Amino acid sequence: MGLEKEKSETSIIMDEDEFSRSIEPILNEKGPEDAEPPGRDPHNINAHLKVGFEDVLAEPTSTHSFDSVWIGSHAAFELVKFVIYRLLSALLAVPAAFLLGLIFAVISCVQIWLVMPLMQSFMMVLLSLQTVWRSLTDMFVTPFFQSMGKCLSSIHAKITED
């Protein structure tokens, strides 16, 4: 009834394999603070634009400029590339996105509401025309080419050198 000084031990019997399977989902869960930001180019559409200083400027081993010149030009290249890209994207990104959104909206609307219904209508009409065309071809064109093939198959050519 009073305070008991005995310690009780609790143990769970699990195989090592079972333990790792049960804890794995807990370890793989990431909280909102651990989540990585989504990539801005998930399909690598612009993989060819990943250009660095070494891809543009390179000095062979036989000719090197001063180290300070090389480091300064590297810093200037990266800084100008970064600043100009940010400036141009700040000025042009919203209008370009608006214009491209408008263009893709018009294309989608025309495709959905005009092109596809017209194509389906033509396919319905062309199905009956296909039957008529096949009949005409079977009646006139096929016999003509079969008879021409039989006539021309009896011709044998022999090439001799003089």
Side-chain angles (χ1 to χ4, degrees):
M1 291 258 195
L3 294 173
E4 296 173 13
K5 297 190 180 192
E6 264 183 57
K7 290 185 181 179
S8 61
E9 287 187 25
T10 307
S11 65
I12 299 174
I13 300 172
M14 294 179 97
D15 292 342
E16 185 66 36
D17 205 26
E18 231 177 282
F19 177 72
S20 65
R21 272 187 281 138
S22 66
I23 194 116
E24 195 172 86
I26 296 169
L27 295 176
N28 286 340
E29 289 179 9
K30 290 184 178 179
E33 66 278 348
D34 294 335
E36 294 179 13
R40 293 187 180 183
D41 190 10
H43 301 293
N44 280 336
I45 295 172
N46 293 316
H48 61 284
L49 294 178
K50 294 176 184 172
V51 177
F53 179 74
E54 293 82 12
D55 299 327
V56 177
L57 298 171
E59 291 181 335
T61 54
S62 61
T63 56
H64 278 208
S65 62
F66 295 113
D67 287 340
S68 58
V69 172
W70 183 254
I71 293 169
S73 60
H74 187 272
F77 176 85
E78 294 295 334
L79 180 69
V80 169
K81 185 176 95 169
F82 176 77
V83 169
I84 296 298
Y85 175 75
R86 290 285 174 106
L87 181 67
L88 287 175
S89 63
L91 293 174
L92 300 176
V94 174
F98 178 80
L99 185 64
L100 290 171
L102 183 69
I103 289 170
F104 282 110
V106 169
I107 291 171
S108 298
C109 184
V110 168
Q111 177 72 21
I112 292 168
W113 295 104
L114 294 175
V115 173
M116 287 311 293
L118 284 173
M119 291 299 293
Q120 291 297 330
S121 301
F122 286 143
M123 293 306 289
M124 288 175 11
V125 171
L126 289 177
L127 191 60
S128 58
L129 287 177
Q130 179 184 6
T131 306
V132 172
W133 181 256
R134 184 174 289 142
S135 298
L136 290 173
T137 304
D138 288 344
M139 286 187 334
F140 298 110
V141 178
T142 303
F144 172 74
F145 282 105
Q146 283 179 346
S147 62
M148 288 298 294
K150 287 181 181 178
C151 291
L152 296 175
S153 68
S154 62
I155 299 174
H156 296 287
K158 187 176 182 181
I159 300 174
T160 58
E161 290 185 27
D162 289 334

